Amino acid sequence: QVQLVESGGGLVQAGGSLRLSCEASRSIFSFNAMGWYRQAPGKQRELVAGITSGGSTNYADSVKGRFTISRDNAKNTVYLQMNSLKPEDTAVYYCNADYTGRGVSVRYWGQGTQVTVSS
């Protein structure tokens, strides 16, 4: 069983920055891709940013130019640097990891970390 542990959430004023971390319980080389999703109250969970095992990244239009996803393979950790935060970025942020192998595909989720941006 894979565990993903997020950290780094909190309360910040609009315009501020936070860095989220997601540490995996095993080598992140084993995952095809990892990413960050978020879910605001009353809304569906949405993709914020993703990064493949090869290092390719993609972002939601709403965060392009403000958020940066990165990975540290040696630490089995994926990061989400969030700058110029807006109140609409307030949500629970979830880390995920996708594994495909041996004929199966599995998506793992972390427990989530709350990000609150005050105006």
Side-chain angles (χ1 to χ4, degrees):
Q1 183 67 18
V2 173
Q3 290 186 333
L4 302 174
V5 180
E6 300 108 330
S7 60
L11 173 64
V12 64
Q13 289 188 332
S17 299
L18 284 174
R19 189 177 80 155
L20 305 183
S21 300
C22 171
E23 184 175 359
S25 60
R26 75 182 195 205
S27 173
I28 62 175
F29 276 120
S30 65
F31 302 122
N32 303 92
M34 297 185 71
W36 289 93
Y37 284 69
R38 67 187 180 188
Q39 187 167 19
K43 295 187 176 182
Q44 289 188 333
R45 191 173 295 188
E46 62 174 0
L47 174 68
V48 176
I51 186 166
T52 68
S53 57
S56 298
T57 59
N58 63 289
Y59 297 92
D61 288 343
S62 59
V63 306
K64 283 181 181 177
R66 300 188 297 123
F67 291 11
T68 302
I69 189 170
S70 62
R71 57 193 290 159
D72 185 333
N73 295 327
K75 295 182 178 180
N76 294 329
T77 301
V78 172
Y79 302 98
L80 185 67
Q81 177 67 45
M82 304 186 295
N83 299 328
S84 302
L85 282 161
K86 305 175 181 180
E88 50 264 43
D89 294 318
T90 295
V92 178
Y93 283 69
Y94 297 91
C95 174
N96 90 292
D98 291 330
Y99 171 81
T100 300
R102 300 179 181 179
V104 298
S105 294
V106 183
R107 168 163 284 187
Y108 301 98
W109 292 97
Q111 81 287 354
T113 185
Q114 177 70 47
V115 172
T116 303
V117 184
S118 63
S119 57

